[in-house]
Amino acid sequence: MRRPTAPEEPTSKTEQVVATPLEAVAAGNKLPTLGTLVRLAFDEGYSDLHLGVGEYPRMRDRGEIVTLDNYPQIDEINFYRWLREVLAEDQIQRFKKELEFDGATQYDFARVRINVFDTLRGPAMVMRIIPLKILTMEQLRLPAVFKDISDVHKGLVLVTGPTGSGKSTTMAAMVDYINREHAKHIITIEDPIEFIHQSRKSLVKQREVGIHTHEFDRALKAALREDPDIILIGEMRDRQTVNTALKAAQTGHLVMGTLHTNSAVKSLERILNLYSAEEQTSMRIALAESLVAIVSQGLCRTTDGKRAAFHDIMINTETVKDYIRDAKYDEISALMEDNEFDGMITKNKSLFNFYQEGRITEETALEMSPTPNEMAMMLRGRI
């Protein structure tokens, strides 16, 4: 596993070894600046930086944690020295009082999402490294149906998956595509802002909760009065948000949001479970009329050492609308398996396609599959 190391000793007095600043710090067994660690994470393609008192610095390398044990363990003095690099003093005091802090900062090479929290050992933080360059759908190798979804003028689009599954990257690629191809007014409401969009063919306005608005729901309701074509919601948090999002989707806007669910069908169930049994029939009708598509995704390691997104994609065809109204969720899953011509696909089929293309191993396909027994049958040619 790759990790930065101190330079080896020269083999002779005449041999010159030019150490990088990072290597020089590591060789002296000292903790570098936070900016140096963030730069290292960015250069190495790491997604997250984990720092906590009493721990070695760690980074997430394509899903796996790497320990930087060539540095000393982090003490409280160094931890707060790092915090002062990225937070104002009033933000640090807010963390000490509330024991939680969410925010973001920006370097000239990347944007960084920051979460600071207290633990048994002492304060800790996780920094998510977000490249300033937004990858296109082609660069991400997303299925062609993503462009069809992004071309829709109104309705609700959900991108779902667990934390760290690449939802933000996919949403950013979709917004970037719209921004380049359509003359729209796009409003985003995020907590915090991750990818930064420059207005191109579209006009893009990004708002961060806590900085540009005090409350998420108020910003969402206000967006309806701001002449939007597209509203991007960082997360569909509660029934109030879902209600407003559905209202916006029903009144001629395209609404894009995220959920922490593992499949397209489970996303439907998660939304409906926010409502009482008496309300669910009317909510199923509202969802059936408003929904455009649900994309549920995960990330898997590929044979070239990178990561790729695999997908559950449910397109709200006329048949799917009927199944949603009648709560026939098993039938929706079966339809997704049989209707690839509509752009629909299951995670198992997506993984199996990667395996056939040589992009992932059989072990990866089985490990990442939501139903490994079915995947095993597919790999053996029984399905």
Side-chain angles (χ1 to χ4, degrees):
M1 192 169 289
R2 294 179 294 115
R3 65 173 58 155
T5 56
E8 296 179 359
E9 290 294 320
T11 54
S12 70
K13 290 183 180 180
T14 58
E15 183 176 345
Q16 295 294 317
V17 175
V18 180
T20 66
L22 180 63
E23 288 170 331
V25 172
N29 201 34
K30 295 178 183 177
L31 287 166
T33 65
L34 183 61
T36 301
L37 286 175
V38 172
R39 181 79 218 197
L40 168 66
F42 175 79
D43 289 344
E44 294 291 329
Y46 297 146
S47 60
D48 299 87
L49 176 58
H50 292 254
L51 305 169
V53 171
E55 303 281 1
Y56 292 108
R58 298 172 194 256
M59 299 186 183
R60 187 171 292 279
D61 176 19
R62 297 164 184 85
E64 296 184 5
I65 292 289
V66 179
T67 303
L68 308 187
D69 52 13
N70 51 325
Y71 297 110
Q73 290 186 345
I74 301 162
D75 58 27
E76 196 161 327
I77 291 173
N78 274 293
F79 184 85
Y80 278 101
R81 172 170 64 87
W82 284 340
L83 277 193
R84 289 185 178 92
E85 285 187 44
V86 291
L87 301 184
E89 195 59 40
D90 64 312
Q91 292 174 314
I92 295 173
Q93 294 307 316
R94 194 193 320 162
F95 158 67
K96 288 182 176 180
K97 180 182 178 182
E98 299 177 1
L99 305 180
E100 313 274 359
F101 180 84
D102 265 316
T105 190
Q106 189 161 325
Y107 295 85
D108 59 2
F109 55 88
R111 187 165 174 82
V112 179
R113 193 177 74 199
I114 305 167
N115 180 267
V116 192
F117 54 102
D118 204 16
T119 76
L120 182 65
R121 284 177 173 264
M125 66 175 154
V126 178
M127 306 181 78
R128 168 65 54 87
I129 314 299
I130 304 165
L132 295 180
K133 184 177 185 297
I134 298 171
L135 295 179
T136 64
M137 293 188 191
E138 289 79 11
Q139 289 169 324
L140 293 172
R141 299 177 73 171
L142 296 178
V145 72
F146 277 80
K147 288 187 178 180
D148 298 333
I149 294 169
S150 302
D151 286 334
V152 171
H153 297 295
K154 64 178 181 178
L156 178 64
V157 174
L158 296 177
V159 178
T160 80
T163 301
S165 60
K167 297 187 298 296
S168 297
T169 302
T170 295
M171 293 268 278
M174 295 173 77
V175 170
D176 183 65
Y177 168 79
I178 296 168
N179 188 16
R180 293 175 184 275
E181 297 295 327
H182 299 286
K184 303 284 188 179
H185 181 203
I186 304 169
I187 297 176
T188 78
I189 305 164
E190 303 170 75
D191 185 17
I193 290 172
E194 296 186 331
F195 291 92
I196 296 177
H197 298 269
Q198 302 295 330
S199 296
R200 299 185 188 279
K201 196 168 185 179
S202 287
L203 172 65
V204 185
K205 297 294 185 186
Q206 295 181 262
R207 306 189 71 194
E208 181 169 322
V209 178
I211 297 178
H212 310 118
T213 178
H214 295 298
E215 294 178 16
F216 190 93
D217 192 58
R218 280 180 62 188
L220 180 54
K221 288 176 179 174
L224 296 176
R225 300 187 293 273
E226 292 158 4
D227 188 33
D229 296 294
I230 297 159
I231 304 171
L232 184 145
I233 304 168
E235 187 181 341
M236 306 281 278
R237 304 172 177 215
D238 48 42
R239 59 181 287 162
Q240 208 169 12
T241 303
V242 172
N243 286 341
T244 309
L246 284 173
K247 178 184 174 184
Q250 290 166 340
T251 53
H253 307 89
L254 180 63
V255 180
M256 304 172 71
T258 66
L259 281 174
H260 292 288
T261 48
N262 293 322
S263 76
V265 170
K266 279 188 171 61
S267 302
L268 284 173
E269 294 173 343
R270 170 69 63 85
I271 289 175
L272 291 167
N273 284 340
L274 295 171
Y275 298 87
S276 66
E278 294 77 20
E279 296 171 307
Q280 288 200 9
T281 299
S282 61
M283 287 309 302
R284 283 199 304 271
I285 293 170
L287 266 176
E289 293 304 316
S290 303
L291 199 62
V292 174
I294 300 178
V295 175
S296 180
Q297 75 174 45
L299 289 178
C300 60
R301 292 175 73 95
T302 52
T303 50
D304 60 0
K306 298 179 181 179
R307 286 202 292 178
F310 58 98
H311 301 99
D312 233 16
I313 301 176
M314 187 196 84
I315 305 298
N316 192 21
T317 63
E318 290 304 317
T319 306
V320 171
K321 284 182 183 180
D322 291 338
Y323 287 156
I324 293 174
R325 290 189 194 100
D326 298 335
K328 294 180 178 178
Y329 304 128
D330 290 340
E331 283 86 343
I332 294 174
S333 296
L335 198 68
M336 288 170 62
E337 292 174 5
D338 299 334
N339 280 268
E340 285 192 44
F341 60 87
D342 285 321
M344 290 195 260
I345 197 169
T346 63
K347 282 186 175 177
N348 266 1
K349 190 64 196 311
S350 182
L351 287 164
F352 185 66
N353 289 345
F354 283 179
Y355 169 73
Q356 287 189 311
E357 293 164 7
R359 296 182 67 192
I360 64 173
T361 63
E362 182 176 327
E363 291 74 21
T364 299
L366 288 167
E367 178 190 350
M368 303 307 297
S369 170
T371 50
N373 289 341
E374 182 184 311
M375 175 57 72
M377 293 176 71
M378 293 173 74
L379 292 168
R380 290 170 178 77
R382 295 176 186 169
I383 297 181

